[in-house]
């Protein structure tokens, strides 16, 4: 690979003063009252969050996880006036396919830590003969170590353009893209704007462009399968009971930013609620390792990015942009908590691969990494051939 310019090595180094400040704030938390006999239906229960916050303060070891993350090769570059942090791990296989992995909210690049080895070194991870990948895992602008966005207008289409430039800087002429949540908006947009170079797009936790927009009339309801009706019901439940965060992010991100930037417990509650609601278990740690959840939350806290991360929803909702039809080969993995429906996805995407799973949820790379890796291998193996 030729030498690139504008890319420098990066190391995660949170100052001790930042850790001390976090400890003080956690210890001084002003806890709210709670009605007796309530559970998760009103939000994160007080007892659960107190225990988790105490674990964060007294047992969780940031330095241990920081050191583990620093075993990966991190880099930083600037594109379109914005710092972009990324992890870049090349496979030893000369025929490996370059693959960009894109996270959403409330995730970060740490979502993909467990899939790096199996994707880059299938032989060493029990899958001889499986296709290998060079992986590039950026922190989405406005998230994590990419830092807060510096100007308005960083919607998912602009991020897609920046990530296409990133892959060009890395001298990858042909590459694939995988993404979930906001990443399932960014990845298809990369296929649209960089179709000469994107060989395929794989998504999970897909919504916009992969589900019906608006009510489904009685006639169409009669044509749907039981599985499709269940997904419509989950979509409707989300719109009535689960999208309060979305409305805040999409309309008043600066207002919520003050609370999230000032209170680590507020940031913890804002994120851990989604790990409860969007995973396939009774509690978040039933599906995702508790320390991994806290590492993810800590990255938002230490980088001061909760407001800019929320702001991407505002940018999307005020951009006037809408997905246009795409000819890029597209694969979809639908886990148990997802709501994508093929008949709607096919209206604007070139669907060539579709997998339905009866387990897993929104954070597939964290919950069911083996299933996600296998599906990614199958899809990109087909579009390469």
């Amino acid at each position: 690979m030729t030498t690139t310019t504008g890319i420098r090595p990066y190391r995660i180094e949170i100052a001790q003063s930042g850790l001390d400040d976090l400890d003080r704030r956690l210890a001084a938390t002003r806890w709210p009252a709670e009605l007796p006999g309530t559970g998760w239906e009103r939000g994160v229960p007080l007892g659960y969050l107190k225990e988790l916050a105490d674990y964060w303060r007294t047992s969780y070891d940031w330095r241990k996880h920081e050191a583990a993350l620093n075993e990966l090769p991190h880099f930083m570059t600037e594109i379109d006036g914005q710092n972009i942090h990324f992890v870049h791990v090349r496979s030893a296989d000369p025929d490996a396919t370059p693959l960009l992995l894109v996270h959403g909210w409330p995730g970060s690049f740490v979502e993909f830590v467990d899939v790096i080895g199996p994707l880059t070194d299938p032989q060493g991870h029990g899958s001889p003969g499986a296709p290998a990948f060079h992986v590039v895992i950026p922190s989405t602008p406005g998230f994590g170590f990419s830092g807060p966005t510096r100007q308005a207008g960083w919607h998912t289409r602009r991020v897609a353009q920046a990530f296409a430039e990133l892959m060009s800087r890395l001298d990858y002429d042909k590459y694939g893209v995988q993404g979930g949540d906001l990443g399932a908006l960014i990845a298809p947009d990369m296929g649209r704007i960089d179709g000469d170079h994107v060989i395929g797009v794989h998504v999970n936790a897909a919504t916009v462009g992969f589900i019906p927009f608006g009510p489904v009339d009685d006639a169409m309801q009669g044509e749907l399968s039981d599985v499709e009706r269940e997904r419509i019901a989950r979509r409707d439940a989300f719109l009535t009971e689960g999208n309060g965060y979305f409305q805040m992010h999409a309309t008043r991100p600066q207002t919520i930013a003050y609370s999230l930037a000032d209170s680590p417990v507020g940031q913890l509650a804002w994120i851990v609620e989604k790990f409860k609601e969007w995973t396939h278990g009774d509690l978040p740690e039933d599906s995702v390792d508790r320390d991994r959840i806290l590492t993810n939350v800590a990255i938002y806290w230490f980088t001061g990015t909760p407001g800019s991360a929320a702001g991407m929803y505002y940018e999307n909702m005020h951009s006037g942009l809408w997905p246009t039809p795409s000819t890029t080969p597209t694969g979809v993995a639908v886990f148990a908590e997802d709501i994508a429906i093929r008949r709607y996805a096919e209206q604007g995407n070139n669907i060539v691969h579709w997998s339905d799973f009866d387990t897993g949820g929104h954070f597939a790379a964290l919950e069911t990494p083996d299933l996600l890796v296998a599906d990614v291998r199958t899809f990109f193996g087909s579009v390469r051939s």
Side-chain angles (χ1 to χ4, degrees):
M1 187 171 70
T2 61
T3 301
T4 56
T5 59
I7 294 176
R8 62 188 187 277
Y10 179 79
R11 185 173 178 81
I12 302 170
E13 295 178 315
I14 301 302
Q16 185 59 43
S17 59
L19 295 177
D20 294 341
D21 176 65
L22 173 62
D23 183 82
R24 286 192 298 269
R25 288 171 183 264
L26 287 171
T29 299
R30 183 184 181 191
W31 295 99
E34 180 183 56
L35 291 173
T38 59
W40 285 87
E41 70 274 6
R42 292 174 181 262
V44 184
L46 180 61
Y48 175 86
L49 199 64
K50 276 188 171 182
E51 191 277 328
L52 183 59
D54 183 69
Y55 177 85
W56 190 7
R57 187 175 76 85
T58 63
S59 300
Y60 172 81
D61 185 350
W62 166 260
R63 291 300 187 207
K64 169 188 170 183
H65 295 286
E66 181 183 67
L69 291 176
N70 277 326
E71 293 179 4
L72 299 170
H74 296 257
F75 301 89
M76 189 76 74
T77 192
E78 183 176 311
I79 299 175
D80 193 11
Q82 174 66 35
N83 283 334
I84 294 181
H85 155 263
F86 63 99
V87 170
H88 183 199
V89 182
R90 286 184 58 83
S91 173
D93 185 342
D95 295 324
T97 299
L99 179 63
L100 184 77
L101 301 173
V102 189
H103 71 82
W105 184 89
S108 66
F109 77 94
V110 300
E111 284 187 52
F112 297 109
V113 167
D114 292 337
V115 304
I116 293 174
L119 288 174
T120 58
D121 180 21
Q123 174 75 31
H125 288 78
S127 299
F133 300 85
H134 306 303
V135 298
V136 180
I137 312 172
S139 293
T140 299
F143 291 71
F145 297 106
S146 289
T149 41
R150 299 171 178 174
Q151 56 186 213
W154 276 97
H155 44 68
T156 50
R157 184 75 53 83
R158 185 173 176 181
V159 173
Q161 293 167 337
F163 286 171
E165 170 61 22
L166 173 62
M167 296 303 277
S168 176
R169 288 189 188 184
L170 294 173
D171 290 337
Y172 289 135
D173 181 57
K174 299 290 185 181
Y175 63 93
V177 189
Q178 198 288 325
D181 189 79
L182 289 172
L185 293 175
I186 296 166
D189 268 349
M190 292 186 71
R192 295 181 182 99
I193 67 174
D194 200 28
D196 290 341
H197 301 101
V198 176
I199 63 170
V201 167
H202 183 279
V203 296
N204 66 287
T207 55
V208 178
F210 295 84
I211 61 174
F213 182 74
V216 177
D217 60 31
D218 292 341
M220 178 55 72
Q221 285 277 2
E223 297 181 15
L224 299 178
S225 68
D226 290 343
V227 168
E228 290 172 329
R229 280 192 289 271
E230 289 172 4
R231 291 175 186 171
I232 295 291
R234 283 205 300 276
R235 182 205 66 168
D236 293 345
F238 168 80
L239 292 174
T240 57
E241 288 287 334
N243 76 336
Y245 82 95
F246 184 101
Q247 294 300 325
M248 283 299 300
H249 286 193
T251 62
R252 298 295 185 269
Q254 188 63 31
T255 298
I256 192 63
Y258 298 110
S259 299
L260 301 182
D262 187 60
S263 169
V265 165
Q267 179 68 90
L268 178 63
W270 198 244
I271 288 179
V272 80
E273 178 194 279
K274 299 312 170 195
F275 275 87
K276 152 65 176 175
E277 294 189 351
W278 296 348
T279 54
H280 202 53
D282 292 333
L283 293 173
E285 51 267 51
D286 292 341
S287 302
V288 179
D289 178 75
R290 173 176 275 199
D291 275 18
R292 188 64 58 81
I293 294 173
L294 288 173
T295 298
N296 183 70
V297 174
I299 287 173
Y300 280 85
W301 175 258
F302 289 131
T303 60
T305 54
S308 55
M312 181 167 287
Y313 289 77
Y314 182 94
E315 302 295 352
N316 282 349
M317 294 302 291
H318 293 80
S319 69
L321 299 172
W322 193 253
T324 55
S326 173
T327 59
T328 303
T330 300
V332 182
V334 186
F335 292 89
E337 298 299 318
D338 292 341
I339 58 175
I341 296 175
R342 183 163 189 163
R343 70 176 71 216
Y344 295 101
E346 289 177 337
Q347 293 175 5
N349 301 278
N350 178 20
I351 305 297
V352 300
H353 171 89
W354 189 278
S355 297
D356 291 305
F357 298 98
D358 60 5
T359 189
H362 188 86
F363 306 96
L366 289 169
E367 297 174 73
T368 50
D370 292 347
L371 292 179
L372 181 65
V373 166
D375 207 64
V376 166
R377 288 171 176 165
T378 298
F379 169 67
F380 284 104
S382 69
V383 298
R384 282 190 59 186
S385 60

